[in-house]
């Protein structure tokens, strides 16, 4: 509750009080690291996340599954902190430590593309991204990865292939747009209704 309402110092104290013997100890430590990040205490947060990665997991398989998930998310957090601190080699190294079987693996690989972009290594970023698009099409099937691919190709002056990437995204949304426009024509008040809802929020 304290975390959600933004009372971060109080939340930090509470998370620190959770004993090592508690079943939710690792979860509490992960939130402690998150609180420290929110407070801008990146080095302290990194220490917490690194300690979590080294924690032994429970013998109970169901609990161990959750704890391994927390450890993999902690690896992501350590890599993100390294990225924020311009420690790019360290960030890439930690992203590569996320196990392939983990649900966090694809996110780690995609974020490592951004490390290459921050370094202005656009060719390396494009190669990584294209490998991901081939090996993980189910995960990176969304438009963001393809738009990023097009932008990287533009930066490398590969305008024709950039255009192809952008057209692929436009075509996939074109079908949705034409279907939606058909519905709007059949129900003229619908557009104004959604306009009001979006405006209210």
């Amino acid at each position: 509750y304290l975390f959600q309402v933004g009372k971060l110092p109080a939340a930090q104290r509470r998370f620190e009080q959770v004993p090592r013997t508690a079943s939710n100890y690792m979860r509490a430590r992960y939130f402690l690291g998150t609180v420290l990040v929110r407070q801008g205490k990146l080095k302290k947060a990194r220490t917490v996340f690194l300690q979590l990665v080294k924690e032994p997991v429970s013998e109970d398989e169901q609990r161990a599954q959750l704890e391994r998930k927390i450890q993999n998310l902690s690896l992501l957090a350590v890599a993100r902190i390294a990225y924020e601190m311009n420690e790019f080699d360290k960030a890439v190294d930690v992203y590569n430590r996320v196990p392939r079987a983990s649900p966090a693996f694809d996110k780690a690989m995609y974020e490592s593309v951004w490390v290459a972009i921050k370094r202005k290594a656009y060719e390396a970023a494009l190669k990584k991204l294209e490998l991901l698009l081939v090996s993980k099409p189910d995960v990176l099937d969304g438009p963001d990865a393809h738009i990023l691919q097009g932008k990287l190709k533009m930066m490398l002056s590969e305008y024709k292939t950039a255009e192809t990437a952008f057209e692929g995204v436009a075509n996939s949304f074109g079908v949705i747009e034409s279907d939606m426009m058909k519905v709007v024509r059949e129900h003229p008040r619908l557009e104004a209704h959604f306009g009001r809802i979006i405006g209210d929020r």
Side-chain angles (χ1 to χ4, degrees):
Y1 166 76
L2 292 167
F3 175 76
Q4 290 295 339
V5 297
K7 295 182 178 178
L8 299 180
Q12 180 182 337
R13 285 193 297 275
R14 294 295 184 190
F15 285 128
E16 285 171 338
Q17 288 171 353
V18 177
R20 187 178 286 274
T21 52
S23 61
N24 58 1
Y25 170 76
M26 285 181 72
R27 197 181 301 190
R29 297 303 289 178
Y30 182 80
F31 272 106
L32 172 61
T34 306
V35 167
L36 291 167
V37 168
R38 287 258 185 103
Q39 292 175 316
K41 300 173 182 174
L42 297 184
K43 287 183 180 176
K44 282 186 178 178
R46 178 163 55 188
T47 301
V48 171
F49 290 127
L50 285 170
Q51 285 167 348
L52 270 172
V53 171
K54 293 172 187 169
E55 279 289 323
V57 294
S58 171
E59 289 179 15
D60 174 61
E61 188 45 44
Q62 194 172 358
R63 189 170 148 190
Q65 203 172 346
L66 173 66
E67 289 173 348
R68 280 192 291 270
K69 182 181 177 183
I70 291 168
Q71 286 180 323
N72 292 332
L73 289 172
S74 295
L75 282 172
L76 273 183
V78 172
R80 288 168 180 165
I81 289 169
Y83 175 86
E84 289 300 322
M85 296 172 77
N86 294 327
E87 297 172 352
F88 301 128
D89 289 337
K90 195 175 282 186
V92 170
D93 177 55
V94 179
Y95 278 129
N96 288 333
R97 285 172 57 195
V98 176
R100 188 172 283 276
S102 165
F105 177 78
D106 301 311
K107 194 170 276 192
M109 293 302 100
Y110 188 62
E111 288 181 17
S112 72
V113 171
W114 284 99
V115 175
I117 291 169
K118 185 122 182 200
R119 286 173 139 164
K120 300 191 186 327
Y122 302 126
E123 207 163 321
L126 182 61
K127 280 179 186 171
K128 273 187 176 192
L129 182 62
E130 288 182 336
L131 276 170
L132 279 169
L133 286 167
V134 170
S135 64
K136 300 283 181 183
D138 53 326
V139 176
L140 293 175
D141 202 26
D144 290 345
H146 294 282
I147 288 171
L148 178 58
Q149 182 187 31
K151 286 180 179 177
L152 286 168
K153 285 181 178 289
M154 277 180 65
M155 288 171 178
L156 295 166
S157 303
E158 296 177 19
Y159 300 114
K160 195 70 187 163
T161 49
E163 188 179 358
T164 305
F166 292 134
E167 279 176 351
V169 175
N171 291 340
S172 63
F173 279 94
V175 176
I176 299 166
E177 186 190 22
S178 62
D179 287 350
M180 286 180 74
M181 291 313 293
K182 197 165 131 187
V183 172
V184 168
R185 277 194 297 275
E186 289 169 8
H187 306 278
R189 293 192 201 141
L190 198 59
E191 192 172 2
H193 168 71
F194 279 114
R196 275 196 307 277
I197 291 172
I198 293 164
D200 289 345
R201 292 184 184 173

